[in-house]
Amino acid sequence: MGIRSARAGLLLALLPVCAQAVSFRTAIVRTPDQPDPVEAHAARILAERLSELGGLPVRVEREGQPSPVQTGELLILLGTAENHRALAALVADEKPFRDPEGFVLKTFAGAGGVTLAARGVDRRGVLYAAGEILRQADASGRQLELPVPLEVRSAPAFEIRGTQIGQSGVALQKAKVRRWTERERQRKLEDYVLAGLNTVQVNAHQGGDAFYHFARAMGLQTMEHYGPNAGSGPAEWLASESIGRQGYLCPSVPAAREALLKRCDATFRAAAPLDYVVFVGGDGGGCECDRCLPYGRVFIRLCEDMAAIVRHYHPRTEFFITNQKFSNESDQAVLAYLQERPRPWLRALSYGPGSDAMTWQPGHRQNHRMDLFRYPGFGPPDRYLKELLRQLPPRHDIVFYNELTHWRYAQNAYLQAYPRADKNGDQPPHWNHFLYERMPDQALTMVFDRLTFFAWPRYYHWFFNQALRYGIGDVTHSSGTQDHFNQWMWQRLLWSPQRGVEEVVREYARTWFGPEAAPAMADAIFQLEENLEEKRAQPIDKKPGIDRYYQLVREAGARMPASRMRTSWLWREYLQKAALDLHIKRQVTRQKALQTRIEERIRAARRGGDPDGAIGEALAWLAEREESPEMRRLREQAERLGEESNQLYGVRSEGIFQLEHDFIGLGWLKRQLERARAVSAEERDELLGMIVDYENPGEGGFYDNAGTFNPAPRMVHGYPYDFGQPLTPGMIWEGNRPSQRSMHYTQDEDQGVTLRYRGLDPHAAYRIRFTLVRPHYQERYRTHMNQKSQTIRADGMVLAADLEVPELMSDFFTFDVPREATRDGELEIRFERAADVARGSRVEREIWRNTGGWGTILSEAWLMKKRQP
């Protein structure tokens, strides 16, 4: 009908006639004689973007020097009624609309053609009016189309709507993109402003940089994150940071605290004005030492003193604090401080990665509010936020710092491994597993960085509606441009939270790709979200959605007008992702076919003789692997698109440079064949038998695969290993089979990984085989890791003492089980950590745990009956 409301409770009268698309050859954007700087920016952006849509001429003029409106021209009166005489006269009889940051769009027909009144309630409202014009308009064939009549009254639902703007280290280093110009960074900010953003994270140090001043000229609110205990000094000042990062001081050391206050004074004395300062509690930061227990008590008082310093120089600044990675005790210390007496200096508590006391997230909150799982209502993340609001004094709000930028191993991402026990031994209750059962596709994980291009409409829409109802807004964490859809959708939901996900995706697709391409692109975005998830019954080589996504994006491209296609770096990013995913699917398919071919050849050789010939043939096949013609075409297409998107806007998929992988463990297969060639006939048959029937423990035997969500029914103690960090290339040799790459582990508890067997033959002899491997740690974590070996016991009897676990490349370890251990029909296999592992102080153990320390570790186990002589 040409009428929209973007805010609940905002009523509009329906116009008596249906809107039709009216075409214009050009447009005039008419501003006040003395436009406010924000109005001037809005006019410039609107004219630039309308012209870019179809290459049609658009001019900006002042109302005091109007040019005649020609037939086929659209006149846009843009500004506030207080500053624009002609606009005020046109809307004089309109119903008042005063919601902050709101706007009204309305078309008026007259003898001179169509006039579009674009009135902002205030100066930022003018920016958002320009954004709505661009969402409503379309241009192709050097014509501008607009629905007429058109009437929109809209205002934002949330007070704070923001994000970060910049290029990531992954983009610059792994995707090898060029650096943005200052104007390109500004344009990215404009994109999100047009969607509804009003706050941006900046660097205000030393008076602010060019980006800071541009944001202020746009009338935006500015925010800076500040680490209260970040600093340097002598060794006795240093903090025990929760994941072992350097560059932080202990606020409980008086001299260090004084140094931190002096640093704050120097920083903000020279800083440009800020609307908000966020004092960061952790990730990184904080101190785990005994003097700081609980750190929240030390932190909040340090923040109070720092707020007084900042207010001395910037009286209007408001303050938020984060509780990232706090313990329950730290949370309660902060809440008790706020409840003790009025604390007018603090505006809000900021909820970000590691804040939620009911979810087990990467980054490792130390403990969890298990009491909130009793009658949990809607559960996490809803229930914890409800509890925070219950305990916060009414003067304080919740504001968000949600992380939408990583597709795996992050706050709202695929967590990548089932949660380990916290320091109290607690894990999520069974009904809460759905958050952790979402896993990233294993093959895609090997190619794409955690900062890769992706879109998650349905999951993020669900999370928004679970969490944001408790806050006043969000300034999301963003590490680049790979999260383009997620950040754009978040701004639209902060403006209008009750919109359905399908509507938001359709609007995004229409805005960025045009109405002709929008249906296919909307379907593609939903399909992409499905493709990213690991489906145990449907591995990537069986996913039809990979092909469908590729076809949908290509179809959308074919429908895009040439004027959009020439400059659409974004469509090129979607198609790069499609071509690379399809290349990976074809690569996995070929590797599995090769594995099957080798298995069939070895199986036939074991039946009919000539194992040496079969081994030689199989090794030759493994050496001949290369791309198929289709895979080469897909790779070259992605490379070409990457060059174009980099030239257009400094964006490209890092996956282009990381395509070659052993997805299924062909490296292990090669190693097994080489071993078989070098041993006796009896040993050779056993090694070849593992190739053709890997998991089979033989009659009366048992096999357990100890990775995440793998079948390990005999596993009674331990949990899937989460590495303490994103699983990065080089941590585990990818030539290992998938079942060898993942493992169960324990941390600093006395009981190690434990397997329990029942129903054994009391008259049989058994042997047990283990697959063991340990990861290679990133440099910043290695100093905390001394674990290399473990002891293995069978019903208390030592099978292996201080057995060294191989690094990177897994191996098998086989032991005879003492007959007395199985004579009762049962067997317990228990692993023990080495005597010097996780034995230090509480602080040392917690940092060790938080950075992925393992006490015992196991990938696979076969309990097998021994052959009778």
Side-chain angles (χ1 to χ4, degrees):
M1 294 294 294
I3 302 174
R4 290 188 190 171
S5 170
R7 189 172 188 183
L10 183 61
L11 300 179
L12 297 176
L14 291 177
L15 296 180
V17 292
C18 291
Q20 296 181 348
V22 176
S23 297
F24 304 92
R25 294 193 304 272
T26 185
I28 302 169
V29 180
R30 191 172 290 168
T31 69
D33 283 334
Q34 295 182 329
D36 175 277
V38 178
E39 293 174 316
H41 273 294
R44 174 189 56 79
I45 296 169
L46 180 59
E48 286 177 358
R49 304 284 176 112
L50 286 175
S51 181
E52 290 168 4
L53 279 175
L56 71 163
V58 181
R59 64 185 185 276
V60 178
E61 64 181 28
R62 305 288 176 89
E63 64 172 327
Q65 298 175 323
S67 58
V69 179
Q70 306 295 323
T71 302
E73 282 191 321
L74 172 66
L75 174 62
I76 303 172
L77 303 182
L78 181 70
T80 62
E82 292 75 17
N83 203 24
H84 198 306
R85 298 188 307 277
L87 181 60
L90 196 61
V91 300
D93 297 329
E94 293 295 310
K95 181 179 179 180
F97 184 61
R98 300 187 179 91
D99 290 29
E101 301 184 277
F103 64 85
V104 177
L105 298 184
K106 186 172 182 180
T107 53
F108 294 85
V114 175
T115 298
L116 174 59
R119 175 173 69 89
V121 171
D122 48 35
R123 62 184 196 155
R124 275 205 297 268
V126 180
L127 287 168
Y128 306 134
E132 184 65 24
I133 293 171
L134 292 167
R135 286 187 291 274
Q136 294 279 352
D138 180 46
S140 58
R142 297 185 64 82
Q143 288 195 92
L144 173 68
E145 290 188 348
L146 193 72
V148 177
L150 172 68
E151 183 173 359
V152 180
R153 288 182 173 87
S154 189
F158 287 88
E159 176 185 351
I160 297 173
R161 311 177 304 280
T163 193
Q164 301 160 293
I165 305 292
Q167 290 175 289
S168 71
V170 168
L172 292 168
Q173 296 157 23
K174 293 186 178 181
K176 305 176 184 178
V177 301
R178 63 175 179 80
R179 289 191 178 273
W180 282 350
T181 65
E182 187 61 35
R183 178 66 194 118
E184 285 172 329
R185 190 180 183 203
Q186 293 171 357
R187 186 179 174 94
K188 176 58 62 181
L189 177 59
E190 292 171 359
D191 290 345
Y192 291 133
V193 168
L194 294 171
L197 175 144
N198 71 353
T199 304
V200 63
Q201 188 171 329
V202 296
N203 177 6
H205 297 175
Q206 301 301 317
D209 57 13
F211 184 75
Y212 166 89
H213 291 289
F214 178 77
R216 298 291 285 194
M218 289 271 285
L220 302 178
Q221 299 174 146
T222 53
M223 168 186 287
E224 183 158 343
H225 281 235
Y226 187 81
N229 75 314
S232 60
E236 59 269 22
W237 291 10
L238 299 183
S240 300
E241 202 270 348
S242 65
I243 55 176
R245 290 178 177 171
Q246 302 299 307
Y248 295 95
L249 302 183
C250 172
S252 295
V253 175
R257 192 179 196 278
E258 184 62 27
L260 292 171
L261 294 174
K262 288 180 179 178
R263 170 180 170 265
C264 178
D265 187 282
T267 298
F268 288 98
R269 183 192 316 127
L274 289 158
D275 295 280
Y276 307 109
V277 169
V278 183
F279 291 127
V280 180
D283 191 28
C287 183
E288 299 292 321
C289 80
D290 291 336
R291 291 169 298 188
C292 285
L293 285 179
Y295 179 69
R297 172 182 54 81
V298 177
F299 166 76
I300 192 66
R301 285 166 173 78
L302 179 63
C303 292
E304 181 178 32
D305 292 346
M306 288 185 169
I309 291 171
V310 177
R311 280 267 174 87
H312 176 73
Y313 301 109
H314 308 291
R316 295 185 179 181
T317 298
E318 295 187 321
F319 301 95
F320 306 149
I321 59 167
T322 77
N323 65 334
Q324 292 171 265
K325 299 184 184 177
F326 275 14
S327 64
N328 294 338
E329 295 76 17
S330 283
D331 273 357
Q332 291 306 311
V334 170
L335 292 167
Y337 161 89
L338 296 176
Q339 294 162 357
E340 186 179 48
R341 64 173 184 270
R343 309 289 185 178
W345 68 270
L346 181 65
R347 172 70 193 280
L349 180 67
S350 182
Y351 169 106
S355 288
D356 197 310
M358 292 180 72
T359 55
W360 279 249
Q361 300 169 356
H364 308 313
R365 188 181 172 99
Q366 300 280 15
N367 54 12
H368 296 81
R369 287 290 303 273
M370 302 308 293
D371 59 306
L372 299 182
F373 286 102
R374 187 170 186 264
Y375 301 117
F378 287 92
D382 173 282
R383 181 67 181 90
Y384 174 65
L385 290 164
K386 183 178 180 181
E387 174 67 11
L388 280 183
L389 274 186
R390 186 184 73 81
Q391 293 199 50
L392 279 173
R395 73 164 55 243
H396 304 298
D397 294 304
I398 293 174
V399 69
F400 288 87
Y401 178 46
N402 277 312
E403 194 274 290
L404 312 176
T405 198
H406 302 118
W407 77 293
R408 56 182 173 87
Y409 207 83
Q411 175 195 22
N412 298 321
Y414 296 126
L415 298 190
Q416 198 169 338
Y418 194 79
R420 62 167 196 168
D422 65 20
K423 71 177 183 181
N424 295 333
D426 292 321
Q427 287 184 282
H430 68 279
W431 63 264
N432 193 36
H433 285 191
F434 76 97
L435 289 172
Y436 312 102
E437 291 177 2
R438 298 171 63 253
M439 288 284 165
D441 183 279
Q442 292 182 31
L444 299 180
T445 296
M446 295 176 71
V447 173
F448 296 109
D449 192 89
R450 65 195 288 243
L451 270 72
T452 200
F453 185 82
F454 77 112
W456 268 1
R458 295 196 189 279
Y459 185 76
Y460 280 155
H461 188 273
W462 170 82
F463 181 87
F464 184 99
N465 282 279
Q466 290 290 305
L468 267 292
R469 69 185 68 214
Y470 296 107
I472 58 173
D474 200 339
V475 182
T476 62
H477 171 44
S478 178
S479 296
T481 61
Q482 79 287 341
D483 52 7
H484 183 270
F485 169 81
N486 306 323
Q487 301 293 349
W488 195 92
M489 180 178 78
W490 218 252
Q491 297 306 322
R492 299 304 295 143
L493 291 175
L494 287 167
W495 189 279
S496 179
Q498 294 180 346
R499 301 175 72 193
V501 62
E502 288 82 6
E503 181 186 357
V504 176
V505 173
R506 284 196 305 268
E507 182 189 68
Y508 172 85
R510 187 184 189 281
T511 300
W512 289 96
F513 308 104
E516 299 91 347
M521 278 306 302
D523 286 348
I525 290 166
F526 284 119
Q527 184 66 62
L528 175 58
E529 182 173 28
E530 288 186 32
N531 292 348
L532 295 173
E533 188 164 350
E534 176 71 13
K535 298 178 180 178
R536 279 165 277 174
Q538 194 181 60
I540 191 169
D541 58 306
K542 304 296 183 185
K543 284 182 177 178
I546 301 292
D547 301 77
R548 182 172 183 266
Y549 172 63
Y550 179 76
Q551 295 301 330
L552 284 167
V553 179
R554 290 188 67 198
E555 177 187 335
R559 295 180 179 181
M560 286 174 66
S563 57
R564 283 184 182 268
M565 177 57 72
R566 277 194 299 272
T567 60
S568 183
W569 55 269
L570 185 58
W571 177 82
R572 286 167 172 82
E573 282 217 275
Y574 277 100
L575 191 56
Q576 283 172 69
K577 175 65 174 166
L580 293 171
D581 286 0
L582 191 52
H583 185 285
I584 295 164
K585 176 178 178 178
R586 298 291 186 257
Q587 195 173 357
V588 172
T589 301
R590 283 171 66 86
Q591 289 186 11
K592 286 188 174 182
L594 175 58
Q595 181 184 44
T596 300
R597 184 185 183 193
I598 291 172
E599 288 172 353
E600 289 174 350
R601 180 68 181 91
I602 297 298
R603 188 176 292 112
R606 292 181 75 214
R607 288 196 304 264
D610 190 27
D612 287 333
I615 291 170
E617 284 186 35
L619 288 171
W621 295 340
L622 284 166
E624 292 172 355
R625 285 186 290 148
E626 61 180 29
E627 286 182 319
S628 68
E630 181 195 15
M631 289 167 60
R632 186 179 305 110
R633 178 183 60 79
L634 289 166
R635 176 177 52 78
E636 290 172 352
Q637 181 183 34
E639 290 171 350
R640 183 180 67 256
L641 291 163
E643 289 294 330
E644 293 172 2
S645 62
N646 184 40
Q647 183 179 6
L648 286 168
Y649 200 56
V651 293
R652 174 165 45 201
S653 174
E654 81 293 345
I656 291 170
F657 304 98
Q658 301 174 173
L659 266 181
E660 294 303 316
H661 290 276
D662 183 347
F663 292 101
I664 65 170
L666 293 176
W668 172 84
L669 185 56
K670 180 174 182 286
R671 186 164 56 126
Q672 194 79 349
L673 288 165
E674 290 171 340
R675 284 178 166 179
R677 186 165 57 179
V679 298
S680 66
E682 184 178 353
E683 291 176 291
R684 176 189 300 146
D685 188 63
E686 182 174 357
L687 292 172
L688 295 180
M690 291 189 70
I691 289 176
V692 299
D693 201 3
Y694 181 78
E695 295 183 1
N696 186 4
E699 184 178 355
F702 305 87
Y703 169 74
D704 287 87
N705 182 354
T708 306
F709 297 122
N710 292 331
R714 267 66 58 178
M715 185 72 63
V716 296
H717 191 73
Y719 22 83
Y721 186 46
D722 75 349
F723 302 93
Q725 57 198 291
L727 179 56
T728 56
M731 285 187 67
I732 294 287
W733 183 51
E734 65 181 34
N736 297 318
R737 290 175 64 102
S739 59
Q740 298 165 349
R741 298 174 197 154
S742 60
M743 56 283 288
H744 265 52
Y745 83 129
T746 56
Q747 302 169 94
D748 55 351
E749 59 263 56
D750 289 331
Q751 181 174 352
V753 170
T754 304
L755 297 155
R756 188 165 295 142
Y757 299 90
R758 292 187 172 88
L760 304 184
D761 182 348
H763 305 293
Y766 287 87
R767 62 191 179 120
I768 192 162
R769 178 199 299 141
F770 304 109
T771 306
L772 301 177
V773 65
R774 60 187 169 96
H776 176 87
Y777 289 92
Q778 296 178 53
E779 193 59 38
R780 74 181 190 186
Y781 299 109
R782 287 180 68 81
T783 56
H784 305 293
M785 304 300 163
N786 68 324
Q787 65 277 10
K788 293 182 180 179
S789 66
Q790 55 191 348
T791 293
I792 309 174
R793 294 180 181 272
D795 278 9
M797 292 172 279
V798 174
L799 294 182
D802 288 321
L803 176 67
E804 183 168 347
V805 179
E807 188 177 42
L808 293 171
M809 185 185 296
S810 68
D811 215 338
F812 301 115
F813 298 83
T814 305
F815 306 96
D816 289 334
V817 178
R819 292 290 294 269
E820 55 265 40
T822 58
R823 213 169 262 133
D824 60 355
E826 297 185 0
L827 172 67
E828 180 185 86
I829 299 292
R830 181 179 293 203
F831 289 67
E832 293 177 358
R833 61 192 159 113
D836 60 345
V837 171
R839 305 287 182 180
S841 69
R842 176 193 64 80
V843 174
E844 290 171 323
R845 291 199 314 276
E846 290 191 357
I847 293 174
W848 175 86
R849 289 174 66 256
N850 288 341
T851 49
W854 58 268
T856 65
I857 198 164
L858 170 67
S859 290
E860 299 170 288
W862 292 259
L863 182 65
M864 303 168 287
K865 277 189 175 182
K866 294 179 71 173
R867 295 177 183 176
Q868 296 299 319

